[in-house]
Each structure stands twice: as C-alpha cells, then as structure tokens.
Amino acid sequence: MYFLGVDIGSSSSKAAIIDENKNILVRVARNIGTGTNGPTLVINQALEEVGITRDQINFTVATGYGRVTFTQADKQITEISCHGKGVAHLVPGAHTIIDIGGQDAKVIRLNDKGNVDNFLMNEKCAAGTGRFLEVMARILNCGLEDLSGLAKESTEEIEISNTCTVFAESEVISQLAQGTAKADVAQGANNSITSRVAGLARRIGITPVVVMTGGVAKNDAVVRCMEKQIGYDITVAPDPQTVGALGAALFALETFNKK
Amino acid sequence: MADIKSLIAEFEKVALNPAKSAAELKKETGKKLIGMFPYHLPEEIVYAAGMLPVGMWGGQTEIKLSNKYLQSFCCSMIKANFEMGMNKTYQKVLDGVVMAAYCDTLKCICEDWKVAVTDMPLIAMYYPQNRKIAAAIDYMGAEFKKAQEQLEAIAGKKVTEADLEAAWEVYEAYRAESRKFVKLVAKMPKTLNATVRHLVIKAAWFMDKKVYTEKLAALNAAIEAAPAEEFNGKKVLVEGIMVEPIALLDAFVENDVCIIGDDLSHQSRMFRIEGRKEGTVYEKMAYRIADAYADPLLLDEKKEHGKELIDMVKEYGADGVVVCAMKFCDPEEYDYPIFKEELEAANIPVLYMEIEQQMESVGQYKTRIQAFAETLA
Ligand code: SF4
C-alpha cells in the first residue's frame, strides 16, 4: 500500500510516498509553489521514482499554504501538525522545531509523545523568512545555495538594522557601495533572520532536542548562527525541505488505518 | 427551526450593515442617536432621555484622515472610529458621542476629537481607577450627572428618576437575555456558529434595546424548544476586545471550532454583570463598573484575570482559549503575559493571535486556527 503526502508551499512544492510500514519510498522537492503546476510535477516525479501510478495511492494528505486549493487530496492538515509528525518520526526525542520556509517561519513545541502542544508563527511580513535570504542573495549576485559558503568567509560582524526586507535591501546596497565585503553582508543577513526566529523560539520556550526543518535549514551558516542565538545544539532533519510532506504521508497512513 | 433561522436572519441583517441599520433605526423611531465610543458608558441615561445609544466599534474603512492625529501605534478600531468622525460618516446618523478615557489611546482621542470633529457634540467622561471604594461610587454618580445634563441638552428634554428607572429595567432585561443566549450556544453549536453568534450579539448595538431584547427572548425560547445538536468539533473561549473581520470568524466555522463562550469587551464584558437591586439608578450603574471582573480596561490590583479565565473555561467546558489581541491595545497587552502563564500552568491550551480590524487577508490566521484545532484533537 502507498501513502502520499504533498506539501504545497508559497515558493516550492514537495511530495513524499511511504508504504504501510512507514518506510520512506521517496521524497522530492521542486522550487515552484502554489498556483502553478508545481504540485502536479512533484507528485508525478515521486510516482515515477517509486514506479507506481496515481491510482495505486491509498490515501493522500495535502499540507502547506496551498493545501486548501489543492483538490486532489483526501484530507488537508496544516503544515504545523505535519512538520511535528515528520520530525517526531525522523528525530526521536525532538521537542522544539524551528521551521523557516519561503514566506513564513514557525516554532513548534512537541510533547514527550511527539505531538504538537504549542506553536508560534511569524507575523505576516517577510522578515525572518527564506524570502529575506532570497532578496539578499539577489543583491549579492549569488545563488541562494551559495550564501552559506559565502557567509563562512566573513571576517567582520556587520549588523543589518532594518527588520523590513524592503528597507534592509536598500541598507545592504549602501553598505556594499561603501565597500563592505560580500561575505560580511551574507553573514549579517544570517544574523538578521536567525535573531527574529530565535525571538519566536524564546517566546514559546526552548527544550532540546532542537530540530531545524524547511529549505533554509540546508544553509549551514544559518544553522550555526541559530545555535549561537538560542544557545542549544541543533539537529538538521534529514532532507529538511520535505519533512512536512513526510508528515503528511504519515498522517495519510494513520487516517487510512483509522477508517 | 424555521423560527430560529428567520430570527437569526433579522439579527444578521442589522449587524452586517451597521451604517444602514443605524440610519433606518433613526428614520423608523424618529429618535436621536448617540454614539458609544465604545466601552462601559451610561447607555441607560441616553435611553432615559428618549434617545438611542449606538455602538462605535470601528469598521472596514480606509484610514486616511485620522493619521493626522493618530500615530501608527494606535489600535485599528479607534483609528477607524476617528476616521469616520473626520470623514463625516458618523455625522450622517449620530447626534452626539460619549467617550471615556479607559486607555492611553482614548485619553488622547477625547482631546483630539474636540479639535478634529467640531460638528458633533462630545461628552467626555472619566472613570476612577479605584472603582470599588465608596468614594468611587459617589464620583461616578457625579460623572453620570454631568453627562446627563449634556445629554438632556441634546435631547431637549429633562430626565426624571422614573425615566432612569424605566431605562435601567430595559437594560437589565437586555443583559439577562444576552447572558442566557451565550449559554444556549452550547445547545446548538452548529446553528449558532462563531459568525452567527457574533452577529446576533452585535445587532444589539444598532437596535432599540427593548426591541432587541424581545427578539432575542423569542430566539432564546425557540432554541430552548429545539432539540440539541450533536457536535464533534472543538470548543473554545475567545478573549480580547472584539473578533472581526467576519472572515476571521468564518475561519472558526470552517474548522469546526465553536466559540462556546467569550471574554470580549464587545460582548460578554458588556452584559455579564448583573445590576444590584438596591440604591438609586446612578448607584446601580456605578456598581456594575465596581463589580466587573476579568476586564483589562478596569483596574484589578489583584490581577485575577487568569484565574477568572480558568473559571470560565471550566464553566463553558472549553477545550482551549483563543486570545484575539487587538494590535497595539495596551490594556490587553498588560494582562496577557500574566494570564498566559496561569493558563499554561493549568494545562489549558492557548492560541494567541494579534488582529487588526482592517486585515486584507486572513490566510495565515486560518492556518493558525486549524492547527490549534488539530492540537486539541
Ligand atoms: S482599550 Fe485597546 S482596543 Fe480599546 S481603544 Fe484602547 S487601545 Fe484600542
């Protein structure tokens, strides 16, 4: 039997397929989000990699920002619960999840049983989200994936004082014009985003094990920066971007079994 | 059921279009309307003077003019109220405004209004901080008297003790019927969903209270006679100043979350205190302020809001509390950290949402409400 989880974010789509024994058969992610053919593409890719067809899927759960408009799922569950589920499965003993996605950031607290018992989301602006890093990468004229390596070369701490992404953008442009090194700006951007999200984490209360998920967790420099901010070691969930999709697939199996 | 539906529809019609409802109220009754800006004001005196109090709880308006007086850190509700004073929306229906300086924002507004909105009489009131002592009752009486004289001037009529007694009775009946209604939600959580519940209660602000009470009594009786509804969703208590826009309430409904009880200024805080039986009408009105509890606008040295919320959660059988904090509301923000800790210590799940009245998109709030409901599962 096969169970599909689809996580439709604002800037990327992810899918995961598991079998009835919770074995993970595939996890895929693409950087195209809701309102596009992104969800269909990731689902097709996932099916292809497992070598099955759509009608062999026993139950589908959709999650993420685009879950409500996605009509092909049997059920929709929020990304909060799905991230909780996915992390509890991948990292036993996890109590705090820091998830930084494209358009939002959230901190989720898990109880000893691995169930969500509290969560906080950032308010609606782009500060403290992946979008902030995207904007920074664009100004620094590098790919998002190169930001981490660049930041590691930083020799001098600089501070980006504006919270607002739009203002921060012009602040950084003037810093670069004054000759600040690109590496220092990249590290400054990491500091900026992690300090916002660390604030959220402190509000909810941090209990180890702390796990990071979401695409931004692939940026090693951000993770190290976050560790410094919160004063705890951080485990990056394996394949962090698809943890929500995996959680959705696990819920699909659970819901199917309950029926 | 047809009875229930049609009665609800009447309330909904009034509450969904306050401006139109107020204009119609004025036309139909031929009475003057006085705006209540908005908390704990002497509505009974307005009523006794042969006029009708109308609620001023902001609304969906674009903030343009009021920015001249109000900083960006003023709450959205008061900004909207001030805007509608400045752009003359209120002047179309209101003959005067009563306001009291309950928070820092309102203190400034009392003064700003005198300068910015010169074409509508303003009755500014000041309530005591130490509201429970005997001197406070006397002082509030003096404030009521002053307000009464100004209201009499607008009405062109003297208010007698008998007028006051009659108005008091109308209001006590309205409050009793409203208390009954909020309890009956538990019987029909589907029909009286979050949005419907809100609109039924809100309609009171734009109707003659006597007429409203009669209709609400009919609705209450119809609910009592109807069979109880089965409900498998979650039940929450909401805390805050008010919960709007409507799209936000719809998000509760879409996720099968029933608002089983409230601790809102716009709702129960206005009617949950039963008046005392002895004393003059002024004294009884003052004691309603003195006896109020769990109200961030009224000083509570013992800081018992948390304890009172825990009691309410038990009383209503709620699964959790949703705090709808009006952004930049200082009295609410002072209370929250204290009661949050107490609720958590009592193992009561809390969802905190900072809201603004003129929110364009409620997408993220929908996710929060749904996720909260999932954690309660
Ligand atoms: S009490 Fe809060 S919501 Fe009400 S006017 Fe004052 S700041 Fe605004």
Side-chain angles (χ1 to χ4, degrees), chain B residues 18 35-41 43 53-61 76-82 84 90 94 174 198 201-206 209 240-244 264-270 295 297 326 357-358:
Chain B
M36 299 288 117
F37 202 108
Y39 318 107
H40 303 302
L41 294 162
E43 289 187 51
V54 169
M56 295 168 84
W57 294 88
Q60 305 304 316
T61 179
S76 52
M77 183 179 76
I78 283 323
K79 271 195 179 164
N81 271 359
F82 206 68
M84 289 190 277
Y90 284 142
L94 299 183
Y174 146 70
H198 171 81
I201 298 173
K202 183 177 177 177
W205 291 103
F206 309 102
K209 286 287 195 294
I241 297 292
M242 72 185 306
V243 188
E244 266 190 6
L264 298 176
S265 294
H266 184 245
Q267 304 188 342
S268 289
R269 285 177 192 159
M270 286 288 151
D295 191 330
L297 274 68
M326 182 76 74
Q357 257 192 341
Q358 299 86 26

Side-chain angles (χ1 to χ4, degrees), chain A residues 63-83:
Chain A
T63 186
Y65 180 68
R67 69 186 185 283
V68 195
T69 44
F70 183 72
T71 49
Q72 299 167 43
D74 301 299
K75 191 176 177 176
Q76 53 106 342
I77 296 177
T78 63
E79 49 274 34
I80 318 255
S81 301
C82 288
H83 273 269

Side-chain angles (χ1 to χ4, degrees), chain A residues 65-192:
Chain A
Y65 180 68
R67 69 186 185 283
V68 195
T69 44
F70 183 72
T71 49
Q72 299 167 43
D74 301 299
K75 191 176 177 176
Q76 53 106 342
I77 296 177
T78 63
E79 49 274 34
I80 318 255
S81 301
C82 288
H83 273 269
K85 193 64 148 183
V87 167
H89 181 75
L90 293 169
V91 188
H95 278 92
T96 308
I97 304 169
I98 298 176
D99 171 72
I100 308 183
Q103 298 280 15
D104 66 5
K106 43 194 168 288
V107 180
I108 303 165
R109 202 170 68 198
L110 298 182
N111 61 19
D112 293 337
K113 290 193 198 124
N115 295 328
V116 176
D117 81 351
N118 206 348
F119 64 92
L120 281 176
M121 291 170 91
N122 69 314
E123 298 307 332
K124 47 197 168 201
C125 92
T129 73
R131 178 88 189 117
F132 185 81
L133 289 183
E134 260 173 45
V135 170
M136 291 301 138
R138 204 189 60 225
I139 310 171
L140 295 171
N141 209 0
C142 71
L144 195 54
E145 53 292 343
D146 305 325
L147 262 187
S148 181
L150 186 61
K152 282 182 187 157
E153 289 165 23
S154 164
T155 51
E156 203 180 320
E157 290 243 331
I158 66 144
E159 199 194 327
I160 299 174
S161 51
N162 277 296
T163 310
C164 164
T165 307
V166 178
F167 287 140
E169 184 173 354
S170 44
E171 182 184 342
V172 164
I173 290 173
S174 64
Q175 292 244 23
L176 289 172
Q178 284 162 23
T180 308
K182 276 183 167 187
D184 294 337
V185 170
Q187 183 59 10
N190 290 345
N191 271 326
S192 166

Side-chain angles (χ1 to χ4, degrees), chain B residues 174-277:
Chain B
Y174 146 70
R175 292 188 278 255
E177 214 55 63
S178 299
R179 290 193 292 272
K180 193 164 167 189
F181 173 73
V182 293
K183 285 279 159 64
L184 282 170
V185 169
K187 193 175 175 201
M188 302 192 96
K190 286 185 187 152
T191 303
L192 306 174
N193 65 38
T195 309
V196 170
R197 181 190 182 282
H198 171 81
L199 294 173
V200 169
I201 298 173
K202 183 177 177 177
W205 291 103
F206 309 102
M207 289 172 73
D208 179 329
K209 286 287 195 294
K210 198 167 175 192
V211 177
Y212 174 83
T213 307
E214 281 161 14
K215 284 196 195 296
L216 188 63
L219 176 61
N220 283 346
I223 299 166
E224 277 175 327
E229 282 172 346
E230 200 185 314
F231 180 70
N232 298 319
K234 299 291 158 204
K235 295 180 259 172
V236 298
L237 186 92
V238 288
E239 192 278 345
I241 297 292
M242 72 185 306
V243 188
E244 266 190 6
I246 296 294
L248 185 61
L249 289 150
D250 289 342
F252 286 85
V253 183
E254 284 161 23
N255 288 299
D256 262 349
V257 178
C258 160
I259 295 184
I260 194 78
D262 80 86
D263 179 29
L264 298 176
S265 294
H266 184 245
Q267 304 188 342
S268 289
R269 285 177 192 159
M270 286 288 151
F271 52 69
R272 68 181 169 210
I273 309 298
E274 191 180 349
R276 295 193 183 188
K277 301 282 177 268

Side-chain angles (χ1 to χ4, degrees), chain B residues 39 75 77-78 103 105-106 241 297 326 328-331:
Chain B
Y39 318 107
C75 69
M77 183 179 76
I78 283 323
C103 65
T105 306
L106 285 171
I241 297 292
L297 274 68
M326 182 76 74
F328 302 127
C329 172
D330 45 295

Side-chain angles (χ1 to χ4, degrees), chain B residues 51-65:
Chain B
M51 303 187 288
L52 296 173
V54 169
M56 295 168 84
W57 294 88
Q60 305 304 316
T61 179
E62 204 186 325
I63 306 298
K64 291 185 198 151
L65 305 172

